[in-house]
Amino acid sequence: MTAPTRYAEALLTGMLGTFGLDVEYVRAEKNTLYHLDDSGAEVPVLDLVGGWGSLMLGHNHPEITAYAKELLDTGWPVHSQHSAHPVADRVGAVLNGILAREFPGAEPYSVIFANSGAEAVEAAVKHCEFDRALRVKSLFEEIEWHAGTALTAVRAGTAALPDDTSLLPGDVPAPATADEFEALLGAVAAHNMGRAATSPVFFALERAFHGKLVGSTQFTYNPLFRAAFATLGPDVRFVPPNDAAAFEKAVAEQRVTVLDVEVADGRVTLVERAFPVVAGLIVEPIQGEGGIQELTGEFAARVRRICDEIRCPVVVDEIQTGMGRTGKFFASSHIGLLGDYYLLGKSLGGGIGKTSAMLVRQSRYRPEFELVHSSTFAKDGFSTAIALRTLELLEAEDGAAYDRAAERGERILAMLRELAREFPDVVADVRGKGLLIGFEFADQSQASSPVIREKALAGLLVFQLGSYLQLAHRIRTGPTASVPTMLRIEPSIYISDEEIGQLRTGLTQVCRILRHQDALPLVHPLTGAAQAQPPRAEIRDFRPAAGETAAPAEPTARKAGLVSYPLTPDLLREFDPSLADLDDERLLAYARRSELLRDLPACTPVRFDSPQGTSVELTVYPLLVSQEQLREYQVSGQTFLIGLDLDRRVRAAKADGCDTVGLGFGLGAVSGHGRALRVSGVTVSTGSALAVGSALAAVRGAADERFGGLDGLTLAVVGGGGHIGSALGAIGAGQASRIVLVGSGRAGSAERLRAAELRIYQEVWARIAAGGELAGIPAALAAEPLVAGWLAEGRAADEPSGEAIAAYLDEAYPADPFVVVTDDLLSVRNAQVVFSAHSSPVPVLDEKLLADGAVLCDMSFSGTGAESATVISRDDLRYVRGGVLSVPERGILLRGFGASPGAGELSAGAAEAITLALSGSDGTMGNGPLTRERVDAIVDLAKQHGFETIST
């Protein structure tokens, strides 16, 4: 792996790169962006994202760009803070004229400028709270005045004392004297001060999006953007859109009152006054990021009445919907919603300036706000001048731009609705007004194509479809933040009929792809061959035939999971048959590009019935990571990245009811052999114990046939310093006369081999100390004076002894007679039995490295034949696949994801997870060191449940 070279939003750019969307554009005009191809030629892309709604007048409108150049060429002041700004006043005048036209009778609005839409939201929130705080201050000053007036009247004898004190909390008697009345006023003041501490509450709508700054993100409904920062901002309550009754109920729940006194008809009376708790309601007339959802006129009218009753300001967020995008300058004018505040941004800058504005109804405006709120770049000379020119262009010819937005929008909507009628199984809805349009696809979370289903379950389907539209049809679309199945379409008013036709062609193909569940057109552009023709042009039908849908599985009491990954192009083709026409190079390129999106959907559970009468459902949770990628993570020391994915998948398995989860081959090494995964209530198994046990059993069978057993043989382990390799050496030493541990020669390899050597001698001593019949290395070592002396003195079997034995042998012999530690593959030629237990993604052995008639046990790819080419030209070699077991008759797992090497077979990782689940293991057998006792126990347990070692 190469180190990342990006420093600006590297993660986001990497995610875009996954879908081929990390394009550098070099030129733009109207609705077209241009990038360069490999030859340096410009490639046009139809841009329907439109700067997320910022390009009402398109890219680089010629009049705006000419005006911008003129401003810069004449030395127009950009920064002249603390001076008169007549251009900003003219912007305010134009906006007020538009308001008066679309809302006849509306009072004037003052304007505060900002730099972005989110900052305009922040300014509005600050002003709402500033206004509320001043209203609270005024309320308490009024109550204080009333109290003083009442006390004076009581002392003068012109007003009778109050006789009802029930509004005060507790048992407060009615006052009988002026002094007692004064004490009563003190109790009223104390009561009111307690209520004054009530924090303000804002309201927003579910699905709302109002920005991602510290304050504005509190008003954005999607928890993905808000949850981590919820404690940093104001208290915001969300209510359903178009449900005025819910809003009214929520407002009533926030009602707080304070006490006041009034003198009427010669008597002092305690009265309740409303305390201003609700600081504001913020709404989008059409929710853009929320899925292009419109508010109704009925909702707008009732909400306006409710807010007027409690003096709650209505903030109308027109940052995306304003500037004429919906056919009127203010989208809220379609539903008659007159706001106390208006927020504008995006297209206000004409596609060039970065500016926004907050408009406040003057009867609500607090001029003092200008002293407590400011921004260095807000209201700068350049941006306000560009905003004014933009408004002039929009208002030209009696607002012809608005009429064009409405007409172009209706043309696009009509086309999309025709598609919806043609593909009712694919298109869920078409929504929008003017040039703010949403095209929603039907849910694909149960799609028969795993590629399509995976992206749908991950919430990334529109990214995959958008990738196809851009790479295959040169159309750039965008998602919405809260509806993962919707494409957002926001072109400028200059979109042509030809461009609308281009969109129709692209979307028609998308609908056909989804209808027929053919993932190849989606995948091919991401295989490094975007400019090349796909291996087939036609879209084929990969929907399951009638009757192919799997019958519901019989209920079982136990569930197990297996986290694994596709290792080869063949397995990817089997995963999704529509990819069959892609060659190996393209499939591996797609897997690598998809590295940041490893999570594939869980496979359909498969039931296993044990001869013991128990059953279990196994669900595979795949990761889209190739063996090569996994190896790169190990070499670079970044295995923690895979560990995060593993943890997430194990937690997903737990959520699905799995209490046992196995890790596929190679994943144990990047997770501390399961120890790094700390998910409570789940037994995590790497399959290592059963892999070692089944491999040894297979080798013993082959050695019995060829050599009459393992006694007296030399046994070599390629990858001898690894978790599995060291266990093979330690257990195999019980019969073999010599062990050869072969390492990779990379950093740390020597230390791992040394540890494996000491482990062998420690376990050999434990066998000797335990007594009984000995063979192999234990029998030979028991005759050595050092070990004989230990036996005589009764040294304990578990006393640390491996290092002492190794040191003794180093001194007593020119070369260790029992264990050879080396990184030289030529040493394998001295072995009659060879285990290939390395983690290299490519074979490391060839036929020249193996002794005549040797037995080769291939465990390097969990029995999928990584070293099988070694024996093709050597008829004398006996090839054994290690770590593979036969499956009980009713437990046939489909191939894929390293779980099943062949029909009727399972890898040890899958078989061990099933065995533990069938046995109701408490986890002790699935974890811990690979001792002979543990390995023998798991092999015996697997046999009880019908799993048998495969020796060919």
Side-chain angles (χ1 to χ4, degrees):
M1 290 177 61
T2 57
T5 57
R6 294 189 177 102
Y7 299 94
E9 297 186 332
L11 175 63
L12 178 59
T13 306
M15 292 286 285
L16 292 174
T18 297
F19 297 101
L21 302 176
D22 55 338
V23 177
E24 179 186 1
Y25 294 104
V26 297
R27 191 166 69 86
E29 61 179 350
K30 291 189 176 179
N31 289 296
T32 304
L33 284 162
Y34 296 87
H35 66 86
L36 302 180
D37 64 15
D38 294 339
S39 68
E42 283 191 340
V43 178
V45 176
L46 174 60
D47 181 18
L48 301 180
V49 176
W52 304 118
S54 299
L55 299 171
M56 179 68 175
L57 296 175
H59 288 281
N60 294 319
H61 188 284
E63 292 190 44
I64 295 177
T65 54
Y67 184 55
K69 292 176 183 178
E70 178 186 336
L71 291 172
L72 296 175
D73 288 343
T74 58
W76 184 260
V78 176
H79 296 294
S80 56
Q81 295 92 338
H82 274 222
S83 64
H85 289 273
V87 175
D89 287 331
R90 288 169 62 190
V91 171
V94 173
L95 291 174
N96 270 280
I98 296 171
L99 273 164
R101 181 183 71 232
E102 296 197 350
F103 297 95
E107 65 179 272
Y109 284 69
S110 296
V111 182
I112 295 289
F113 287 90
N115 300 288
S116 67
E119 289 185 25
V121 172
E122 300 262 326
V125 170
K126 282 182 66 176
H127 191 279
C128 285
E129 176 54 16
F130 189 65
D131 174 54
R132 190 194 75 89
L134 292 178
R135 284 190 286 128
V136 169
K137 180 175 179 290
S138 177
L139 173 62
F140 281 119
E141 288 173 347
E142 186 178 349
I143 291 173
E144 185 180 5
W145 173 263
H146 289 166
T149 300
L151 181 59
T152 299
V154 167
R155 290 193 183 281
T158 59
L161 292 166
D163 56 5
D164 183 4
T165 59
S166 60
L167 292 178
L168 271 170
D171 186 13
V172 179
T177 66
D179 289 343
E180 290 180 358
F181 177 62
E182 186 173 7
L184 176 66
L185 291 177
V188 168
H191 170 76
N192 289 345
M193 288 303 295
R195 298 297 177 90
T198 304
S199 298
V201 172
F202 287 85
F203 282 97
L205 302 183
E206 294 174 1
R207 299 193 305 259
F209 182 91
H210 298 289
K212 297 179 185 176
L213 299 180
V214 169
S216 59
T217 196
Q218 311 302 327
F219 296 84
T220 292
Y221 182 70
N222 192 328
L224 176 66
F225 306 131
R226 173 174 48 86
F229 314 104
T231 60
L232 298 180
D235 183 5
V236 180
R237 311 293 174 88
F238 292 93
V239 294
N242 293 323
D243 189 344
F247 175 62
E248 187 170 27
K249 180 175 181 293
V251 165
E253 292 172 352
Q254 301 303 317
R255 183 175 182 270
V256 173
T257 60
V258 292
L259 295 179
D260 195 2
V261 292
E262 65 178 21
V263 180
D265 299 327
R267 177 172 293 280
V268 177
T269 305
L270 292 179
V271 295
E272 286 186 315
R273 300 277 298 276
F275 180 78
V277 174
V278 180
L281 165 69
I282 183 168
V283 298
E284 303 158 279
I286 302 175
Q287 294 180 318
E289 300 291 351
I292 321 298
Q293 304 279 357
E294 297 184 55
L295 298 185
T296 65
E298 294 78 9
F299 176 75
R302 188 169 173 188
V303 161
R304 181 72 267 183
R305 287 196 299 271
I306 295 168
C307 288
D308 287 343
E309 290 171 3
I310 64 171
R311 297 190 64 193
C312 164
V314 177
V315 181
V316 181
D317 182 344
E318 295 262 15
I319 293 165
Q320 184 165 204
T321 59
M323 304 295 296
R325 179 161 292 281
T326 65
K328 290 188 176 183
F329 188 93
F330 291 102
S332 51
S333 65
H334 291 291
I335 56 174
L337 177 60
L338 178 62
D340 300 288
Y341 296 70
Y342 281 95
L343 307 180
L344 294 170
K346 293 190 180 291
S347 287
L348 183 62
I352 293 178
K354 298 177 181 178
T355 187
S356 60
M358 173 191 76
L359 287 74
V360 187
R361 187 158 54 91
Q362 284 191 353
S363 59
R364 274 198 175 269
Y365 183 60
R366 299 286 186 168
E368 311 97 300
F369 185 71
E370 298 167 19
L371 303 177
V372 297
H373 180 85
S374 63
S375 172
T376 299
F377 292 98
K379 203 176 64 172
D380 71 85
F382 180 81
S383 296
T384 50
I386 293 295
L388 179 61
R389 188 73 184 105
T390 301
L391 291 171
E392 290 170 349
L393 288 170
L394 290 174
E395 288 287 295
E397 302 178 31
D398 295 324
Y402 313 138
D403 296 335
R404 183 169 177 84
E407 184 274 328
R408 294 285 83 187
E410 278 305 312
R411 180 70 64 93
I412 296 171
L413 285 165
M415 178 271 289
L416 296 178
R417 287 167 183 147
E418 287 180 10
L419 278 181
R421 288 190 290 271
E422 184 178 351
F423 296 95
D425 53 326
V426 172
V427 183
D429 198 7
V430 175
R431 299 192 292 274
K433 200 170 195 66
L435 294 173
L436 181 57
I437 297 169
F439 189 69
E440 186 174 2
F441 294 98
D443 176 36
Q444 296 290 326
S445 61
Q446 301 300 316
S448 58
S449 163
V451 168
I452 295 172
R453 185 172 72 246
E454 164 236 330
K455 292 300 186 292
L457 290 171
L460 296 170
L461 179 63
V462 292
F463 285 89
Q464 185 81 58
L465 302 180
S467 164
Y468 167 75
L469 286 170
Q470 179 157 327
L471 299 178
H473 295 274
R474 297 180 180 178
I475 300 171
R476 186 171 183 254
T477 60
T480 62
S482 299
V483 181
T485 54
M486 174 171 281
L487 283 177
R488 181 167 56 176
I489 300 169
E490 288 187 90
S492 81
I493 60 174
Y494 300 111
I495 187 167
S496 65
D497 288 346
E498 180 183 0
E499 289 169 332
I500 295 173
Q502 181 182 351
L503 175 62
R504 176 173 189 139
T505 298
L507 286 178
T508 299
Q509 290 298 91
V510 167
C511 290
R512 294 183 66 229
I513 288 168
L514 293 179
R515 168 174 284 178
H516 297 298
Q517 296 292 291
D518 186 354
L520 185 139
L522 303 180
V523 169
H524 175 260
L526 298 173
T527 63
Q531 307 304 320
Q533 290 297 319
R536 54 178 169 82
E538 76 280 8
I539 294 174
R540 295 179 184 170
D541 196 342
F542 289 90
R543 289 172 292 182
E548 282 189 10
T549 304
E554 300 176 48
T556 60
R558 296 167 183 164
K559 294 183 178 181
L562 177 71
V563 182
S564 191
Y565 52 89
L567 295 174
T568 67
D570 284 342
L571 292 177
L572 280 172
R573 294 185 189 99
E574 192 165 357
F575 170 62
D576 194 321
S578 70
L579 306 181
D581 292 311
L582 288 173
D583 60 30
D584 290 5
E585 181 183 357
R586 298 304 173 202
L587 282 170
L588 289 175
Y590 172 67
R592 179 168 292 277
R593 184 186 282 274
S594 302
E595 185 174 1
L596 289 174
L597 305 172
R598 295 181 193 84
D599 292 1
L600 297 170
C603 298
T604 303
V606 177
R607 181 185 175 102
F608 289 82
D609 294 317
S610 166
Q612 303 298 316
T614 56
S615 60
V616 68
E617 282 183 357
L618 179 72
T619 301
V620 175
Y621 296 83
L623 297 176
L624 190 57
V625 178
S626 69
Q627 179 73 5
E628 290 81 0
Q629 289 168 298
L630 195 66
R631 183 63 178 164
E632 287 176 356
Y633 278 107
Q634 289 177 291
V635 172
S636 66
Q638 298 185 45
T639 55
F640 71 93
L641 293 173
I642 295 292
L644 295 174
D645 296 324
L646 287 176
D647 183 84
R648 187 170 64 255
R649 298 304 263 166
V650 171
R651 292 182 186 278
K654 178 183 178 182
D656 290 340
C658 300
D659 50 20
T660 303
V661 178
L663 302 183
F665 184 78
L667 295 177
V670 297
S671 63
H673 305 288
R675 294 187 298 273
L677 299 173
R678 302 187 181 278
V679 181
S680 62
V682 174
T683 296
V684 176
S685 163
T686 64
S688 300
L690 192 53
V692 169
S694 60
L696 285 169
V699 163
R700 288 187 185 111
D704 285 345
E705 295 175 7
R706 182 149 292 195
F707 307 114
L710 287 173
D711 292 349
L713 301 184
T714 295
L715 186 154
V717 183
V718 179
H723 186 62
I724 288 179
S726 62
L728 289 168
I731 300 174
Q735 289 180 272
S737 63
R738 197 178 195 204
I739 302 294
V740 179
L741 302 175
V742 185
S744 64
R746 293 191 303 271
S749 175
E751 291 78 6
R752 289 189 292 272
L753 288 174
R754 177 64 172 172
E757 176 191 8
L758 299 183
R759 174 185 175 182
I760 290 174
Y761 284 132
Q762 183 67 47
E763 294 202 16
V764 165
W765 162 246
R767 287 196 179 209
I768 295 171
E773 185 175 350
L774 299 176
I777 294 176
L781 194 57
E784 293 291 332
L786 174 69
V787 177
W790 287 352
L791 287 171
E793 67 187 32
R795 186 183 181 95
D798 59 355
E799 187 169 343
S801 306
E803 190 167 357
I805 293 174
Y808 164 80
L809 294 173
D810 286 343
E811 185 175 340
Y813 294 92
D816 191 317
F818 305 119
V819 179
V820 176
V821 174
T822 181
D823 58 10
D824 185 0
L825 282 172
L826 291 175
S827 62
V828 172
R829 279 197 61 84
N830 299 319
Q832 292 83 27
V833 174
V834 179
F835 287 96
S836 179
H838 59 79
S839 59
S840 171
V842 296
V844 300
L845 296 174
D846 62 49
E847 70 278 4
K848 297 177 182 178
L849 295 173
L850 298 173
D852 294 343
V855 174
L856 171 62
C857 181
D858 184 4
M859 301 186 67
S860 55
F861 273 56
S862 196
T864 55
E867 303 284 7
S868 59
T870 302
V871 300
I872 293 177
S873 61
R874 291 278 302 271
D875 294 338
D876 63 308
L877 299 177
R878 173 66 186 278
Y879 180 78
V880 176
R881 290 179 300 139
V884 182
L885 296 97
S886 65
V887 184
E889 183 178 349
R890 288 196 59 190
I892 307 300
L893 184 66
L894 297 178
R895 293 187 64 195
F897 313 111
S900 178
E905 299 174 353
L906 272 185
S907 69
E912 183 170 301
I914 295 169
T915 296
L916 294 174
L918 287 169
S919 306
S921 170
D922 60 2
T924 55
M925 191 172 291
N927 298 295
L930 292 178
T931 63
R932 177 168 51 94
E933 292 75 16
R934 180 183 160 209
V935 167
D936 289 345
I938 195 69
V939 168
D940 180 65
L941 196 58
K943 286 182 179 179
Q944 294 178 34
H945 292 296
F947 293 105
E948 295 290 342
T949 296
I950 294 176
S951 59
T952 58

